Amino acid sequence: MLKTFLTEAWGLRYPLIGAPMAGVAFGALANAVSRAGALGMIGIGSSDPTDKIEREASIARDGEMRFGIGLMAWALPQRDELLEAAIAAQPFVISMTGGSIAPYAARVREAGILLAAQVNTGADAREAEAAGADFIVAQGTEAGGHTGDVATLTLLQLVLAAVRVPVVAAGGIASARGLAAVLAAGAQGAWIGTPLLAAHEAGTTPAARARIIAAKEDETVLTRVFDRTLGIKWPARYPGRALVNRFTQEWHGREDEAATNATTVSTLKSATAAKDFNLTYIYAGQSVGLIERERPAAEIVAEIGDGAERILRERLDSVLE
Ligand SMILES: Cc1cc2nc3c(=O)[nH]c(=O)nc-3n(C[C@H](O)[C@H](O)[C@H](O)COP(=O)(O)O)c2cc1C
């Protein structure tokens, strides 16, 4: 068995957390990840209705399971009701990304819910710890979705040196080797998003899965072009890592032009509604190159978790005198 803060203090079988992914990680995926012995999370987007939180939480819980809910910190000043609904759903963890947890930390902790902050620099990590984060997710630029520009391994070293609370690594961890590496470095676990995109229980469409399975590690781009063109108010500091497609090839780097061109805006809006992935986004990280097929979330979790234990045992034997 692997032994870390996540397995000891939380009683998880594997030191793995299924990332909250808006539009992809609904209650069914969170439930499957938790049942597999990790912690599953539900992703809530900035414009999601609050009744979705209640509905997906009840699917994730399914009477008994622990789960988490991930919110976007930058959306909360306009939509406090998202935090209210998340607290009312009584998850095990609430995580926040894309901004400071400071204005919200007391409410989450007073409700007896663990608070996680997803961070992209060492300074972010220190701020989150001071604001009351129970644990920190060091999210490298390899990650799918909105992220920073420091790589996971560099960031993990910085964050581990900067804080005392438990640290979980995110970004590019999609196999047993990746989990073994971050545990060896001192992380208490890994937070995995991209590896779950082709899980049976994920909210991705068949067409999106086919693209995810076909994509290689050098076919993603860190871009603001989708947010700018669609008018989604992610702060400029957090571009999103998505699969390269016709739209990014034409407009990435020309965000101002795309966002002010009425035809481009309406074309992308229609494509997004129609899920036409030649144009609209599929957020995915560089580890997309490791995804080879669709399978149940439980298989993904067990393969990474059991494999990491094997690798750590073998490596420790071979690298230590
Ligand atoms: C499709 C997708 C949607 C995401 N949505 C969210 C989100 O709603 N909230 C959040 O905190 N993180 C979100 N993320 C980022 C993940 O929490 C996590 O940091 C990332 O997936 C980890 O890196 P990996 O994709 O390389 O596994 C998303 C990631 C992806 C791939």
Side-chain angles (χ1 to χ4, degrees), residues 137-156:
V137 185
Q139 185 203 36
T141 193
E142 300 94 317
H146 293 78
T147 186
D149 60 9
V150 181
T152 301
L153 185 55
T154 306
L155 182 67
L156 182 59

Side-chain angles (χ1 to χ4, degrees), residues 19-22 24 43-45 70-72 95-97 118 137 139 142-146 170-173 191-195 197 234 241 282-287:
M21 296 186 279
V24 171
I44 297 298
L71 301 173
M72 294 168 184
S95 71
M96 294 188 189
T97 197
Q118 196 153 204
V137 185
Q139 185 203 36
E142 300 94 317
H146 293 78
I173 301 154
W191 173 282
I192 57 170
T194 297
L197 290 176
W234 267 95
R241 185 173 296 285
I282 294 175
Y283 284 114
Q286 292 175 339
S287 72

